[in-house]
Amino acid sequence: MTRVSLKTQLQSEEKVKKTKQNKKSVGAGGIIGAILIAAIVLVLAVSIIGSLSWQTILPNVHAYGVDVGGMTVAEAKTAIRAKLDAAGIKVSSIGSPIGKIKLTDDFEDQINLFKRMLEIAKIFETDYIRMFSFFVPEEECEKSRDEVLRRWERYIEVAKGSGITLLHENEKDIYGDIGSRCKVILDELASPNFKAAFDFANFVQCGENTEECWEMLKEHVAYIHIKDAVAGNNENVVCATGDGKIPEILKKAIREDGYEGFLTLEPHLVLFA
């Protein structure tokens, strides 16, 4: 598999500061800017660490017009795995749709899908599956707490012995959309195979302070999504130009908190209907 060792002494922090002085939403011509800012963010991480070894990675497999949720085990094992190997690409995580259902939906169907995701994760030789904590109306979150925990306990039990770590992503409109409720799930179900995927933009879009969320959840975080948004209108913007405080938190996470997990670029530079 392709491996590249990067060493740099670039003054990336200064570049990030300059880009933050000119915050702009991304339009049709903003893709090049998005790539440049994303590169700056990664260079920031590299300069903080001093040196970084990485592999070419594919965080959310999407092939032949089918995302991983619609992929069969046979497709994963034959055509798709063969193409990944031929290209020297490894998979950092399975970006599954598990947990993106209502509490009133059929949970056994979800368990069957989850078992397939576990099989696909093994085929792709990845240690992580990204998941969610169910769509719950805000006014029903408190009374839904125990049911959410019960269902996550089932996920953890099903995955037991697989060697796969389940990642809970903070996502808008689910039970664990804000820091305090993410902490409830992670603390209550404390397990070495249950961790957090930290998404800056999603916290911003839920009215959260990302620095407070990081401090609250950092002991649980094993995966980070590099994605930014502007508070108020909740629009996704070029990384490091919104209110996610990405450079500040990455600097602290790596220099002070010892973070060594993946940084996944997930800019979402479109407006979702």
Side-chain angles (χ1 to χ4, degrees), residues 108-123:
E108 289 309 309
D109 282 349
Q110 184 82 164
I111 288 296
N112 290 333
L113 176 59
F114 177 53
K115 289 177 179 177
R116 175 150 50 91
M117 295 299 98
L118 287 170
E119 289 187 68
I120 289 175
K122 291 177 183 177
I123 291 167

Side-chain angles (χ1 to χ4, degrees), residues 97-133:
I98 298 297
K100 271 199 168 182
I101 61 172
K102 298 177 181 179
L103 290 177
T104 53
D105 291 334
D106 189 327
F107 189 54
E108 289 309 309
D109 282 349
Q110 184 82 164
I111 288 296
N112 290 333
L113 176 59
F114 177 53
K115 289 177 179 177
R116 175 150 50 91
M117 295 299 98
L118 287 170
E119 289 187 68
I120 289 175
K122 291 177 183 177
I123 291 167
F124 291 149
E125 297 182 355
T126 181
D127 296 330
Y128 299 109
I129 297 178
R130 184 277 312 273
M131 303 165 61
F132 304 92
S133 56

